[in-house]
């Protein structure tokens, strides 16, 4: 996806044109008719609908995030990121050159070793950008970076983790099992020891003063004699 | 003559039908009465007294009424409204405090653990992370448990059973003290931050009640400060009414459900009700939720957003996106049945666990150790589940605050971690509103199973914690599973939106566990913000209650029974019409004469073998062979005030008493009356006479001996009495009926049962 990089010029011109059409409604009656005929001439109101679509897509892609303030070019951080991204891709290609397409996919160790540094730098830069974006724009701004940057990172990550399988291995299962079974065993010990050692709480019955209390006592005796 | 005792005989076997001590009983009976048994749920404790809801209309009261003119009574009415407003505001503020502190502390803990896990994932040595998490949990819960176990044990649990008893009229010791409030608030914060499977909504109800009891008295006995306002309300009658308002304000702050709160108080204290009280309680609830809403909105940065009316917010349930059709009603009813069965299972497991705890784990140190172990095991279970789960999913927006990557690919996060590493409230909301396909059924199933047993184990520990949120979470999880499997079975029909089924599952599970009907329906309806969901929720709750009641009781009722509280239900047991007041009453009764010797009074009050609190006053008769007629009723608390101020006949004659005793003196001594041991009466004073005519209640309620048990019960319960005198046809006192005499009779599995009294 290279939406923001490729289209920011055209989009700016589109915005300006649409703005001048829409603004003309309030002026003299001639331009009013002209604007009306363009915007409301058909049932679909195709100009308005399309313009809304473009605006929404631009906002959702959050292209404003990676363009300069006056929207005339990519910002410095974005340029830096894309530069690093290209470097990573070249590194991948370079390390894969010596292999044919039909080779088994398990032989990516070279790629993992050589390109690890570049990839880590790219990842850190991306995380930094994300953190700055979250801190900078709390209210009103979207929490995402622009779609070009996100997509580039996504591609790289998919390549790194899925295709090349350079992710972290699953380590130290044994200590985890040991520690967790120890902790899970503690309550059993606790309950058993309190069952065996604690004195059971007894309740002292109180016989109330009532008429016919003898009758109830006789009932108990009858049952157990 | 045989027929009443035959009813008793049916139920007698449950009293002594105990495992270990039966053989001892057989040998003991010829020698002495059986007197020591292990604790079971068929006992009533002697330490619980009733509240004095009935007004004592003695001469002093009539004087005060003559003194206060008509306008002053209107001031009293306005003061009541002011007090209710203050109750609402303070309850809302306390709820805000709990919410904000929990958010910050829990966020801190999760950040620390997450950083540690991320660090150790790369390097290896994840067992250290496990140890860190378990230790953090255990230490926080240790602090929370220590303050409850050693300082104020009545603050343990959710507080709803205690408030239910208070609204029923039982005076549970220390339940509405300031110390209890402080311990409860700190305890609930520490329990939630400590990662236990608990919620913070139940303790809000208890806190609201304590705030109400405190404000309405206009003074603090613990802090020894008297603000000299609201003196008219220093009575059990007024205090109980304000506590109802406080409980409603607590429910309203917890769930954002003001009407639900009013109905909760109504359901619990139904007999003593009137329209003005309902209006004031509604006022307090509304103010409480409004205060919470505005303060939280200001805290989150968008003032007047007013989007968090309660501590838990279920999110918007739109009828267009999540409607239901009439074909789904039978499915909901089936979910209600499942919820009832699961709820009964939960209650049964918790019953055995609580019985074990009461019998064997009764020392405070052991209780603290148990709480720490549960916290550590909760952390371990969570960690092991996250570790073993291979389910990775890309993160959806910002719905997860602390995503754990663990062994997933970059950009994806462990989905078991989103369930375990989140506060339960957020997990519930996510289960309701996440789009279909966000949850892996296997993950969800394992999570439900583990959480069910954890929640069952955790309830009943000596920590302040509620059970609403865990049950909602369990129900939402299996409800969502149900919805997912339903859409799988029908090959992706549109109407099987899993979020809707999660809601119904949550309602079913909660209804199956707590068995509250009317108030819970309205609470859920208000929390979802959609009235159309009221009908299926009501059906689900009714089904869950019917199915669950067939097996075992509701959780709160069960705990009330296990604590041996003399709780009076709404009506007397249905088959008890042949029992009369003569069999129910306690006899003989300790009576006082209208003009009695001080020495006799002191001896009667100091008698430790029987802790009476109300004494019928009979006519002073020089001929003591004949029992005199009933003239009135006087309470222990009134006698103590009289003895303290030395209101003796001889002193009045000698004009030694500076001023006459007024009702204010009785109100000042309320509620902690000094014990009789602290009143010193010299030998000479013991020979003086004391005249009870002015201070006794001249018109106590009485019943004839032949009145049936349901009749006596209805009178007692509807009027909130503490003592009911049984007289014969010559108006002579033959016996006295108190709460313990009536609460003895219960409808058990085989018919009418009689519980025995025990010293606890």
């Amino acid at each position: 996806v290279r939406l923001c990089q490729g289209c920011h010029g055209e989009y700016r011109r589109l915005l300006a044109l649409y703005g001048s059409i829409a603004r003309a409604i309030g002026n003299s009656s001639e331009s009013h008719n002209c604007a009306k005929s363009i915007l409301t001439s058909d049932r679909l109101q195709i100009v308005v609908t399309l313009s809304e679509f473009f605006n929404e897509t631009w906002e959702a892609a959050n292209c404003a995030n990676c363009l300069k303030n006056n929207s005339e070019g990519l910002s410095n951080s974005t340029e830096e990121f894309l530069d690093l991204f290209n470097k990573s891709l070249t590194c991948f290609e370079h390390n894969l050159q010596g292999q044919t397409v039909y080779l088994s996919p398990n032989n990516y160790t070279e790629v993992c070793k050589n390109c690890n540094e570049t990839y880590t730098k790219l990842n850190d830069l991306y995380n930094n950008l994300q953190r700055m974006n979250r801190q900078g724009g709390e209210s009103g701004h979207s929490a995402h970076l622009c779609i070009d940057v996100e997509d580039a990172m996504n591609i790289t990550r998919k390549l790194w983790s899925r295709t090349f399988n350079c992710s972290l291995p699953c380590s130290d299962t044994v200590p985890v099992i040991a520690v967790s079974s120890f902790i899970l065993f503690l309550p059993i010990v606790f309950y058993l020891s309190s069952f065996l050692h604690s004195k059971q709480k007894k309740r002292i019955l109180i016989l109330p003063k009532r008429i016919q209390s003898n009758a109830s006592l006789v009932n108990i005796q009858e049952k157990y004699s | 003559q045989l027929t009443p005792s035959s009813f008793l005989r049916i139920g007698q076997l449950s009293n002594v039908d105990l495992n270990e001590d039966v053989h001892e009983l057989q040998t003991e009976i010829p020698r002495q009465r059986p007197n020591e048994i292990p604790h079971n749920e068929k006992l009533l404790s002697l330490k619980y007294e009733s509240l004095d809801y009935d007004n004592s209309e003695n001469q002093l009261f009539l004087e005060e009424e003559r003194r206060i003119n008509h306008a002053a009574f209107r001031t009293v009415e306005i003061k009541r409204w002011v007090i209710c407003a203050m109750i609402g505001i303070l309850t809302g503020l306390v709820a805000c405090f709990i919410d904000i502190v929990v958010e910050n502390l829990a966020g801190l803990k999760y950040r620390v653990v997450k950083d540690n896990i991320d660090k150790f994932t790369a390097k290896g040595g994840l067992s250290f992370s496990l140890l860190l998490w378990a230790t953090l949990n255990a230490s926080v819960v240790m602090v929370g448990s220590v303050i409850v176990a050693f300082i104020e044990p009545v603050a343990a649990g959710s507080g709803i059973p205690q408030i239910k008893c208070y609204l029923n009229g039982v005076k549970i010791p220390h339940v509405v003290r300031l110390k209890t409030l402080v311990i409860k608030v700190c305890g609930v914060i520490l329990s939630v931050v400590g990662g236990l499977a608990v919620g913070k909504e139940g303790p809000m109800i208890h806190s609201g009640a304590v705030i109400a009891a405190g404000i309405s008295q206009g003074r603090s006995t613990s802090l020894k400060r008297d603000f000299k306002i609201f003196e008219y309300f220093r009575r059990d009658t007024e205090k109980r009414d304000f506590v109802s308002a406080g409980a409603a304000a607590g429910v309203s702050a917890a769930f954002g459900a003001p009407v639900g709160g009013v109905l909760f108080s109504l359901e619990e204290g139904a007999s003593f009700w009137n329209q003005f009280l309902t209006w004031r309680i509604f006022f307090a609830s509304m103010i409480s939720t409004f205060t919470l809403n505005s303060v939280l909105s200001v805290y989150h940065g968008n003032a007047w957003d007013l989007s968090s009316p309660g501590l838990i917010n279920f999110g918007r349930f739109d009828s267009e996106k999540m409607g239901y059709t009439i074909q789904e009603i039978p499915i909901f009813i089936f979910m209600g049945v499942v919820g009832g069965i699961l709820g009964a299972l939960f209650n049964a497991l918790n019953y055995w666990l609580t019985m074990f705890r009461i019998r064997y784990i009764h020392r405070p140190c052991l209780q603290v150790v148990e709480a720490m172990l549960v916290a550590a095991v909760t952390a371990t279970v969570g960690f092991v589940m996250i570790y073993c789960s291979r389910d990775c999913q890309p993160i959806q927006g910002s719905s997860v605050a602390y995503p754990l990557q663990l062994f997933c690919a970059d950009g994806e996060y462990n989905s078991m971690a989103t369930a375990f590493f989140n506060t339960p409230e957020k997990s519930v909301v996510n289960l309701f509103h996440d789009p279909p396909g966000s949850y892996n059924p296997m993950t969800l199933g394992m999570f439900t199973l583990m959480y069910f047993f954890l929640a069952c184990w955790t309830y009943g520990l000596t920590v302040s914690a509620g059970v609403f949120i865990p049950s909602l979470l369990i129900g939402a999880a299996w409800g969502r599973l149900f919805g997912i499997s339903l859409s799988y079975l029908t090959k992706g029909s549109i109407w099987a939106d899993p979020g809707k089924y999660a809601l119904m599952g949550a309602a079913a599970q909660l209804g199956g566990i707590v068995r509250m009907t009317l108030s819970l329906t309205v609470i859920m309806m208000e929390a979802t913000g959609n009235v159309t969901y009221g009908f299926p929720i009501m059906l689900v709750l009714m089904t869950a209650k019917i199915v669950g009641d067939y097996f075992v009781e509701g959780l709160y009722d069960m705990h009330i029974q296990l604590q041996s509280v003399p709780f009076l239900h709404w009506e007397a047991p249905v088959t008890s019409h042949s029992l009369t007041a003569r069999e129910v009453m306690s006899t003989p009764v300790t009576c006082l004469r209208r003009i009695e010797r001080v020495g006799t009074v002191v001896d009667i009050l100091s008698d430790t073998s029987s802790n009476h609190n109300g004494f019928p006053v009979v006519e002073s008769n020089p001929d003591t062979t004949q029992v005199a007629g009933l003239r009135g009723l006087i309470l222990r608390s009134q006698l103590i005030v009289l003895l303290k101020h030395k209101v003796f006949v001889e002193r009045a004659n000698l004009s030694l008493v500076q001023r006459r005793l007024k009702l204010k003196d009785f109100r000042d001594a309320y509620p902690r009356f000094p014990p009789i041991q602290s009143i010193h009466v010299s030998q000479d004073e013991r020979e003086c006479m004391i005249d009870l005519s002015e201070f006794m209640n001249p018109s106590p309620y009485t019943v004839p001996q032949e009145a049936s048990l349901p009749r006596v019960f209805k009178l007692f319960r509807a009027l909130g009495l503490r003592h009911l005198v049984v007289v014969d046809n010559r108006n002579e006192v033959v016996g006295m009926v108190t709460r313990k005499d009536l609460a003895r009779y219960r409808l058990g599995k085989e018919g009418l049962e009689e519980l025995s009294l025990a010293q606890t």
Side-chain angles (χ1 to χ4, degrees):
Chain A
V1 177
R2 303 224 198 254
L3 183 71
C4 299
Q5 295 169 40
C7 309
H8 67 268
E10 277 88 344
Y11 180 74
R12 217 160 19 95
R13 284 203 294 274
L14 175 74
L15 262 188
L17 263 180
Y18 187 77
S20 54
I21 296 179
R23 229 174 300 124
I25 292 190
N27 283 351
S28 57
S29 55
E30 283 173 12
S31 44
H32 177 74
N33 285 336
C34 167
K36 224 169 92 138
S37 69
I38 295 184
L39 293 179
T40 61
S41 55
D42 58 325
R43 178 174 62 92
L44 281 181
Q45 291 189 337
I46 199 77
V47 179
V48 180
T49 311
L50 280 181
S51 145
E52 268 176 18
F53 165 73
F54 286 132
N55 280 339
E56 272 175 22
T57 314
W58 194 256
E59 289 297 316
N62 203 11
C63 283
N65 194 291
C66 51
L67 295 175
K68 277 202 243 192
N69 270 346
N70 48 6
S71 305
E72 277 180 19
L74 299 174
S75 64
N76 285 343
S77 47
T78 319
E79 297 257 359
E80 193 187 332
F81 181 84
L82 289 174
D83 191 46
L84 206 51
F85 172 64
N86 285 334
K87 257 197 245 169
S88 321
L89 281 185
T90 2
C91 176
F92 291 159
E93 270 178 34
H94 181 76
N95 279 306
L96 283 174
Q97 247 175 12
Q99 302 173 341
T100 63
V101 184
Y102 300 106
L103 208 58
S104 63
N106 292 331
N107 219 344
Y108 289 125
T109 43
E110 279 238 347
V111 183
C112 288
K113 223 177 356 157
N114 292 344
C115 300
N116 190 20
E117 199 187 313
T118 326
Y119 176 75
T120 321
K121 263 198 290 201
L122 185 67
N123 215 8
D124 290 339
L125 179 61
Y126 183 74
N127 286 337
N128 273 339
L129 283 177
Q130 259 191 333
R131 211 173 308 137
M132 277 191 326
N133 185 42
R134 216 175 297 151
Q135 281 170 359
E138 274 295 353
S139 58
H141 290 269
S142 156
H144 296 275
L145 297 171
C146 82
I147 192 70
D148 291 18
V149 169
E150 278 189 2
D151 191 63
M153 197 64 224
N154 218 6
I155 294 176
T156 327
R157 278 177 172 166
K158 255 208 269 265
L159 272 180
W160 187 256
S161 314
R162 294 281 166 82
T163 326
F164 300 159
N165 226 353
C166 298
S167 305
L168 306 154
C170 178
S171 61
D172 70 348
T173 319
V174 177
V176 169
I177 292 184
V179 173
S180 49
S181 30
F182 170 69
I183 296 184
L184 289 173
F185 192 61
L186 283 178
I188 305 179
V189 170
F190 172 74
Y191 282 122
L192 270 179
S193 65
S194 55
F195 177 68
L196 294 171
H197 290 238
S198 269
K199 216 164 73 84
Q200 198 185 82
K201 190 117 180 200
K202 306 272 196 175
R203 302 288 189 211
I204 304 171
L205 281 182
I206 309 249
L207 284 174
K209 310 175 291 189
R210 260 176 247 286
I211 297 182
Q212 297 174 348
S213 56
N214 290 330
S216 11
L217 205 52
V218 162
N219 286 336
I220 302 177
Q221 285 177 325
E222 266 179 17
K223 186 172 165 37
Y224 284 101
S225 58
Chain B
Q1 298 71 358
L2 255 268
T3 21
S5 45
S6 62
F7 279 105
L8 292 177
R9 208 182 303 140
I10 298 173
Q12 281 297 343
L13 57 94
S14 49
N15 277 345
V16 248
D17 185 20
L18 294 161
N19 21 27
E20 301 99 30
D21 296 300
V22 166
H23 55 281
E24 287 171 16
L25 229 49
Q26 280 180 319
T27 51
E28 266 177 42
I29 283 190
R31 289 188 281 121
Q32 64 182 85
R33 297 194 178 122
N35 57 358
E36 257 202 14
I37 54 169
H39 179 88
N40 64 1
E41 87 275 13
K42 297 195 194 291
L43 294 175
L44 287 182
S45 170
L46 283 184
K47 77 176 177 200
Y48 297 112
E49 295 289 338
S50 280
L51 292 173
D52 276 313
Y53 194 71
D54 191 30
N55 196 8
S56 178
E57 295 173 357
N58 50 16
Q59 298 256 17
L60 301 185
F61 180 78
L62 295 175
E63 264 175 34
E64 188 190 53
E65 195 179 80
R66 276 192 289 266
R67 219 169 18 95
I68 303 180
N69 56 3
H70 187 65
F73 271 112
R74 216 171 297 161
T75 322
V76 165
E77 195 58 34
I78 294 179
K79 275 194 205 163
R80 284 205 182 103
W81 283 88
V82 168
I83 293 180
C84 282
M86 280 163 53
I87 290 174
I89 294 176
L90 276 180
T91 309
L93 289 178
V94 166
C96 282
F97 173 74
I98 293 179
D99 195 41
I100 293 174
V101 174
V102 163
E103 209 178 291
N104 287 338
L105 285 182
L108 182 66
K109 182 189 99 162
Y110 283 135
R111 259 201 302 276
V112 166
V113 177
K114 175 177 145 65
D115 287 342
N116 195 295
I117 289 185
D118 284 342
K119 192 168 63 152
F120 278 114
T121 312
K123 286 199 296 190
L126 275 177
S127 45
F128 287 114
S129 299
L130 168 60
L131 271 179
L132 173 71
W133 192 3
T135 319
L136 263 183
N137 270 10
S139 41
V140 172
V141 169
M142 180 181 83
V143 178
S145 179
V146 156
I147 56 174
V148 171
F150 286 99
I151 302 184
E152 193 57 82
V154 89
S158 75
I160 294 183
Q162 283 87 348
I163 295 301
K164 274 175 80 136
C165 292
Y166 193 89
L167 293 179
N168 193 273
V170 180
K171 194 190 304 184
I172 306 228
H174 297 206
V175 79
V176 286
R177 285 202 186 173
L178 181 63
K179 197 160 65 158
T180 313
L181 175 68
V182 171
I183 300 288
K184 192 101 195 174
V185 167
C186 296
V188 76
I189 292 175
L190 290 169
S191 308
V192 175
V193 171
L196 288 176
V198 293
K200 54 190 198 291
E201 283 68 19
M204 262 324 294
I205 301 179
H206 192 178
S207 314
V210 177
I211 292 173
I215 293 183
S216 63
Q217 307 295 291
R219 67 172 166 189
S220 170
T221 325
S222 320
L223 299 177
K224 301 203 184 359
R225 297 191 49 131
D226 193 340
F227 297 105
K228 304 250 186 284
I229 49 173
F230 307 145
E231 281 170 357
Y232 185 80
F233 305 123
R234 296 182 189 175
R235 289 206 315 251
D236 270 343
T237 321
E238 303 286 343
K239 188 152 133 175
R240 229 198 67 138
D241 291 343
F242 285 120
V243 166
S244 313
V251 171
S252 152
F255 296 99
V259 181
V262 174
L263 289 174
F264 174 80
S265 284
L266 174 71
E267 211 175 327
E268 300 312 323
S271 296
F272 339 97
W273 207 250
N274 62 69
Q275 299 282 47
F276 285 121
L277 185 59
T278 319
W279 221 153
R280 283 198 298 270
I281 292 183
F282 185 63
F283 183 63
S285 315
M286 275 301 194
I287 290 197
S288 161
T289 178
F290 183 75
T291 313
L292 176 73
N293 216 345
S294 28
V295 173
L296 275 186
S297 303
V298 168
Y299 175 75
H300 285 139
N302 25 354
W304 303 121
D305 186 21
L306 295 185
S307 61
S308 37
L311 284 182
I312 174 156
N313 191 3
F314 284 3
R316 287 216 56 80
F317 277 83
D318 273 323
S319 287
E320 305 116 33
K321 282 193 290 180
M322 287 216 256
Y324 60 92
T325 59
I326 198 154
Q327 292 100 319
E328 297 180 319
I329 301 279
I331 302 181
F332 293 153
I333 295 185
F334 175 69
M335 288 177 81
V337 171
V338 172
I341 295 178
L342 285 179
L345 179 66
F346 187 99
N347 289 356
L349 287 175
N350 197 278
Y351 169 78
W352 290 115
L353 197 56
T354 312
M355 193 71 107
F356 184 86
R357 281 178 180 146
I358 293 181
R359 286 189 187 175
Y360 296 101
I361 309 182
H362 42 83
R363 284 185 9 227
C365 330
L366 290 180
Q367 288 168 343
V368 172
V369 170
E370 190 188 9
M372 283 168 66
L373 284 178
V374 173
V377 169
T378 311
T380 310
V381 167
F383 186 86
V384 167
M385 305 279 295
I386 293 177
Y387 190 88
C388 298
S389 156
R390 291 282 167 265
D391 179 22
C392 295
Q393 281 188 4
I395 188 172
Q396 307 249 5
S398 56
S399 64
V400 183
Y402 304 102
L404 268 187
Q405 189 185 338
L406 216 66
F407 300 128
C408 287
D410 291 327
E412 291 185 344
Y413 297 92
N414 193 319
S415 62
M416 189 70 98
T418 62
F420 267 108
F421 216 53
N422 228 343
T423 52
E425 285 92 355
K426 280 217 196 64
S427 301
V428 171
V429 177
N430 287 345
L431 281 169
F432 286 160
H433 290 288
D434 275 347
S438 336
Y439 289 95
N440 185 5
M442 182 61 123
T443 311
L444 210 51
M446 291 298 298
F447 172 72
T448 311
L449 199 63
M450 287 289 125
Y451 207 77
F452 182 88
F453 288 111
L454 276 177
C456 188
W457 191 17
T458 311
Y459 188 71
L461 282 179
T462 319
V463 289
S464 299
V467 83
F468 265 79
I469 292 299
S471 14
L472 281 176
L473 185 53
I474 296 169
W478 67 253
R480 194 161 178 120
L481 260 183
F482 196 80
I484 292 176
S485 54
L486 206 60
S487 67
Y488 185 69
L489 283 176
T490 58
K491 304 289 182 281
S493 283
I494 307 176
W495 49 267
D497 178 12
K500 181 174 47 169
Y501 289 93
L503 174 68
M504 292 303 154
Q509 182 70 53
L510 189 57
I513 290 181
V514 302
R515 313 276 169 77
M516 281 160 43
T517 50
L518 173 63
S519 43
L520 200 55
T521 313
V522 178
I523 287 175
M524 303 265 327
M525 209 163 77
E526 284 183 291
T528 55
N530 193 341
V531 180
T532 47
Y533 274 105
F535 181 64
I537 290 180
M538 180 187 78
L539 286 179
V540 162
L541 283 173
M542 275 168 63
T543 321
K545 181 172 163 73
I546 292 174
V547 170
D549 274 344
Y550 179 72
F551 297 107
V552 116
E553 272 143 347
L555 191 66
Y556 298 136
D557 298 314
M558 195 181 81
H559 276 260
I560 289 178
Q561 273 173 21
L562 282 173
Q563 297 292 322
S564 314
V565 178
F567 191 81
L568 291 181
H569 292 281
W570 296 340
E571 283 173 348
V574 277
T575 48
S576 54
H577 271 88
S578 39
L579 283 171
T580 62
R582 214 174 134 70
E583 279 130 26
V584 171
M585 68 190 187
S586 294
T587 193
V589 185
T590 316
C591 299
L592 294 176
R593 288 182 307 196
R594 201 151 56 86
I595 302 182
E596 185 66 79
R597 248 186 80 237
V598 172
T600 323
V601 173
V602 172
D603 290 335
I604 288 178
L605 288 181
S606 316
D607 188 8
T608 51
S609 65
S610 57
N611 194 14
H612 294 307
N613 273 291
F615 303 96
V617 178
V618 295
E619 188 57 63
S620 309
N621 209 333
D623 179 7
T624 51
T625 56
Q626 163 188 24
V627 182
L630 177 71
R631 288 286 170 266
L633 186 77
I634 194 153
L635 301 171
R636 172 183 285 255
S637 48
Q638 291 171 316
L639 286 173
I640 293 215
V641 173
L642 291 180
L643 286 178
K644 200 166 89 151
H645 289 266
K646 301 202 188 300
V647 182
F648 307 143
V649 172
E650 286 80 358
R651 288 170 64 102
N653 285 344
L654 297 173
S655 319
L656 275 178
V657 179
Q658 285 85 354
R659 58 171 183 81
R660 291 196 58 224
L661 216 55
K662 289 208 284 283
L663 211 51
K664 181 170 156 25
D665 300 302
F666 290 93
R667 293 217 182 104
D668 282 342
Y670 175 84
R672 300 188 209 178
F673 296 99
I676 184 64
Q677 290 82 4
S678 67
I679 309 280
H680 296 291
V681 182
S682 66
Q683 279 300 109
D684 289 334
E685 286 171 338
R686 285 176 66 98
E687 300 304 319
C688 296
M689 305 299 275
I690 189 167
D691 185 3
L692 299 174
S693 322
E694 275 186 335
F695 310 104
M696 68 182 185
N697 183 359
S699 49
Y701 290 102
T702 60
V703 280
Q705 309 183 63
E706 298 82 22
S708 63
L709 173 62
R711 213 167 164 80
V712 172
F713 191 97
K714 205 179 302 191
L715 187 66
F716 198 91
R717 176 94 164 86
L719 293 175
L721 300 177
R722 190 175 181 181
H723 306 101
L724 186 57
V725 187
V726 181
V727 293
D728 64 3
N729 49 7
R730 286 182 303 169
N731 202 27
E732 287 166 1
V733 176
V734 282
M736 180 103 91
V737 173
T738 59
R739 177 174 278 266
K740 295 178 212 37
D741 301 315
L742 287 176
R744 278 189 299 149
Y745 296 98
R746 229 177 50 184
L747 207 56
K749 283 280 161 69
E750 298 108 14
L752 202 60
E753 271 179 2
E754 190 183 328
L755 309 176
S756 27
L757 299 176
Q759 186 81 35
T760 60

